[in-house]
Amino acid sequence: MTIRILIVDDHSVVREGLRMFLGRDPELEVVDEAADGARAIEKARELRPDVVLMDLVIPVIDGIAATSIIRCELPETEVVVLTNMLESASVTGAIRAGAISYLLKDAQASELRTAIKAAAAGQVHLSPQASAYLLHEVRTPESPVPLTEREADVLNLLAQGYTNKEIAHTLHIAEDTVKSHVRHILAKLGAQSRTQATLAAMRLGLVAHETKR
């Protein structure tokens, strides 16, 4: 089963290059592209792609706002940010909007493919620069509620990029139980997404500084 991708970038040359490059991987399928945030939202609603590859500096509706709308309306669609921006408002804004991955445009081709496939499986993937930056920017509770032993197990696997299904298999528990643990972890860490939870856990020293298997 191929991963269906919507490319969002205001430069036609970039879109064409990404379409050609991603098209070489039999596991990936570019279903359409958009040059601005408004069109990205429309096409996402229409096509319901598995992954949206999102630039942040785009016209009409910027990438952060578009990401927030897409993630709110289409929770099954993940957003991978691919941008040149590495600033406080951009990085933290994208993650808070619901992006699961954040890559810079100088990333290696193999890293981009890995990030897209990881996103489709619900796995966090951050560029080293974004990860290091976010560790300093992410807010964590001053006195977080302690995690239970099982929640700590789930969080460690979550930080390694495991999906809910993989966590359930590894810990020999039901997938619905994993989802319940994840909700409790997010609440205790004051996080709104798996990405934020992973970063908060890293900052608190609950897991190692690594988000990829």
Side-chain angles (χ1 to χ4, degrees), residues 112-130:
L112 177 57
R113 287 196 301 269
T114 297
I116 291 173
K117 294 175 183 180
Q123 300 168 0
V124 176
H125 187 110
L126 302 170
S127 71
Q129 303 97 316

Side-chain angles (χ1 to χ4, degrees), residues 91 108 112 127 135 140 147 204:
V91 181
Q108 295 295 315
L112 177 57
S127 71
L135 283 172
T140 54
L147 300 180
L204 291 169

Side-chain angles (χ1 to χ4, degrees), residues 121-194:
Q123 300 168 0
V124 176
H125 187 110
L126 302 170
S127 71
Q129 303 97 316
S131 180
Y133 189 85
L134 282 165
L135 283 172
H136 294 289
E137 293 296 323
V138 67
R139 294 181 179 179
T140 54
E142 292 184 3
S143 300
V145 179
L147 300 180
T148 65
E149 183 177 350
R150 180 59 83 190
E151 287 169 351
D153 292 338
V154 170
L155 180 57
N156 270 286
L157 293 176
L158 193 70
Q160 294 177 55
Y162 281 65
T163 64
N164 288 347
K165 184 175 182 179
E166 290 171 332
I167 294 173
H169 177 75
T170 301
L171 298 180
H172 306 292
I173 56 179
E175 190 170 349
D176 284 343
T177 302
V178 174
K179 293 178 181 178
S180 178
H181 284 315
V182 171
R183 286 195 297 270
H184 293 157
I185 290 168
L186 294 181
K188 289 182 177 182
L189 295 180
Q192 297 177 325
S193 69
R194 297 162 71 97

